[in-house]
Every structure is written in C-alpha cells, then in structure tokens.
Amino acid sequence: FLNNEPAQLDQFDILANRNFRQIRANKWADLNNVADVAGMLAAMHLGGGNVKYMVNHGKEPSDPNGTLLSTYYSQKGAVMCGICKT
C-alpha cells in the first residue's frame, strides 16, 4: 500500500468524502465558505473524531507533535482558499 500511490489516493478520496458528509450532516462548517470547509476537512484528517469533541466542548486535543486542531484548521483553510481569511 505504501508504494501504491493510486491506492493511497483512492483511500484519501474515500476518507475526505466521508468526512465531508459528516461535516455537512452535523453542520460543522459553512458550506458556502471554502476556507471553513477546507479547514474543517484538514482538522478532521488530523484529528478524526476529536473534531466532534472540539465542536461540542470548545476544547481540543493536539496531535503527537503538539499541533492543535484549530491551528491545522486555520492554516490549511487559509491556504486552500488562497486570499480568503479564516
């Protein structure tokens, strides 16, 4: 799997689509705001189910490197949107 880029991309697409459906169903992002959606997808990629905890409790865990989900959300959302501000 690690040497099979097409298989990795397929799995990433599956994960991203599943995460997007969860974002939409739970109304965790403004679907009209590209930076919000991109940031939330990035946070979910990093934190998985911890995003639900962050949204519901206003607290967030970090990854093993100490990166907070909100940091990932802000950085990736802004990059994906280009000139948008998150």
Side-chain angles (χ1 to χ4, degrees):
F1 179 78
L2 294 177
N3 294 322
N4 187 339
E5 186 176 344
Q8 291 178 25
L9 292 173
D10 286 344
Q11 289 303 307
F12 182 80
D13 285 347
I14 290 167
L15 176 64
N17 282 308
R18 184 176 63 212
N19 287 344
F20 180 75
R21 286 191 304 272
Q22 194 171 5
I23 289 168
R24 185 178 53 203
N26 291 294
K27 299 179 181 175
W28 289 344
D30 176 356
L31 300 181
N32 294 312
N33 183 326
V34 175
D36 195 23
V37 173
M40 190 59 75
L41 283 169
M44 289 186 76
H45 179 74
L46 179 70
N50 290 323
V51 169
K52 181 179 180 180
Y53 183 83
M54 180 179 77
V55 170
N56 290 337
H57 300 285
K59 298 177 184 175
E60 61 184 314
S62 60
D63 73 359
N65 296 315
T67 304
L68 296 172
L69 299 181
S70 60
T71 300
Y72 216 63
Y73 168 90
S74 296
Q75 290 174 347
K76 305 311 178 201
V79 167
M80 293 304 292
C81 190
I83 61 170
C84 298
K85 300 287 183 191
T86 55

